[in-house]
């Protein structure tokens, strides 16, 4: 069995490029007792990979989670045709002994990609990052940036379930339209609107909870609108992930 692997060939210089990766083939050995052979179904591509890659060595398989199907097994806990979620990286086939491999719940007619979304790390990030850190209360005002992303869109929906007033920011009018369909009270295109003005208009009594995926100047502006005893969950800083030199304080 041959596996195709996407190798992290060069550290990113600004935005990632195709030339930063190399596609190679790897010959896999026969399974040993207790091992499983998994075939990738869905691979994750997430913003965290950019800052995480700075600690990676070139020449290694690009990191990432995947939903995979077991196509051969010598482990009774993992039958053939079972779908699993594993930290396998960007590769088509993986041999594993089952450690840190999670069995996918049956999703029926829903897509298996949910294992990398609401049923996976992004779902847990939104749930615990918002509820455990921000501790929202009914009637409070919540601001979410990168609100159309995998985490932000879930945070906004959870906030609505909790009875909050939710303000989302995204980068296109189409994304903002979708946020309104999800139930966001306000959705602004940060590229075409004035952040200070929209916060003043949509949150005249200030912001109680801020779920931050962006960092940078955006967060500095929101800080000026936070209420006393407001809570912030710092999830990401995507505004600086492609910077060639780290920002200074």
């Amino acid at each position: 069995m041959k596996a195709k692997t996407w190798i992290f060939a060069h550290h990113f210089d600004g935005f990632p490029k195709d030339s930063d990766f190399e596609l190679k083939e790897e010959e896999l050995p026969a399974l040993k007792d207790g091992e499983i052979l998994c075939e990738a179904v869905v691979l994750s591509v997430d913003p965290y990979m950019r800052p995480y890659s700075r600690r990676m060595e070139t020449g290694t398989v690009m990191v990432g989670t995947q939903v995979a199907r077991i196509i051969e097994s010598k482990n009774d806990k993992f039958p053939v045709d079972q779908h699993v979620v594993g930290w396998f990286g960007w590769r088509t086939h993986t041999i594993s002994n089952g450690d840190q491999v999670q069995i996918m719940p049956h999703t029926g007619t829903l897509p298996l990609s949910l294992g990398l979304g609401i049923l996976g790390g992004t779902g847990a990030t939104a749930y615990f990052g918002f509820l455990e850190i921000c501790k929202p209360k009914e009637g409070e005002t919540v601001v979410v940036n990168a609100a159309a992303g995998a985490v932000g869109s879930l945070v906004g929906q959870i906030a609505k379930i909790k009875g909050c007033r939710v303000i989302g920011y995204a980068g296109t009018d189409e994304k903002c339209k979708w946020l309104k369909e999800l139930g966001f009270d306000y959705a602004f295109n940060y590229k075409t609107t004035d952040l200070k003005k929209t916060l003043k208009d949509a949150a005249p009594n200030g912001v109680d909870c801020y779920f931050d995926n962006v960092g940078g100047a955006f967060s500095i502006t929101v800080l000026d609108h936070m209420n006393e005893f407001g809570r912030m969950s710092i999830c990401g800083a995507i505004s600086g992930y492609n910077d060639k030199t780290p920002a200074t304080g």
Side-chain angles (χ1 to χ4, degrees), residues 125-136 208-211 230-235:
T125 299
Y127 185 89
F128 293 105
F130 181 57
L131 295 179
E132 295 296 317
I133 295 176
C134 288
K135 300 186 182 301
D208 301 294
C209 301
Y210 174 39
F211 196 94
R231 288 85 67 202
M232 298 175 58
S233 182
I234 310 301
C235 179

Side-chain angles (χ1 to χ4, degrees), residues 73-137:
S73 177
K74 289 191 175 182
N75 187 323
D76 293 339
K77 296 180 181 178
F78 298 95
V80 170
D81 285 334
Q82 173 69 57
H83 287 96
V84 296
V85 176
W87 178 256
F88 297 152
W90 288 6
R91 52 187 302 129
T92 59
H93 296 84
T94 305
I95 291 177
S96 171
N97 62 8
D99 287 349
Q100 297 184 333
V101 174
Q102 297 177 317
I103 293 177
M104 266 283 294
H106 184 60
T107 58
T109 58
L110 297 175
L112 289 168
S113 59
L114 291 177
L116 303 180
I118 194 169
L119 299 179
T122 51
T125 299
Y127 185 89
F128 293 105
F130 181 57
L131 295 179
E132 295 296 317
I133 295 176
C134 288
K135 300 186 182 301
K137 301 178 180 64

Side-chain angles (χ1 to χ4, degrees), residues 139-144 164-169 180 184-189 193-209 225 227:
E140 289 190 324
T141 297
V142 176
V143 169
V144 186
C164 297
R165 174 192 184 97
V166 183
I167 307 167
Y169 289 87
K180 293 290 289 183
F184 281 63
D185 296 286
Y186 297 90
F188 298 107
N189 184 340
T193 58
D194 181 89
L195 179 56
K196 290 183 179 179
K197 184 178 186 306
T198 56
L199 285 171
K200 183 178 179 181
D201 292 344
N205 297 317
V207 175
D208 301 294
C209 301
H225 290 77
N227 287 328

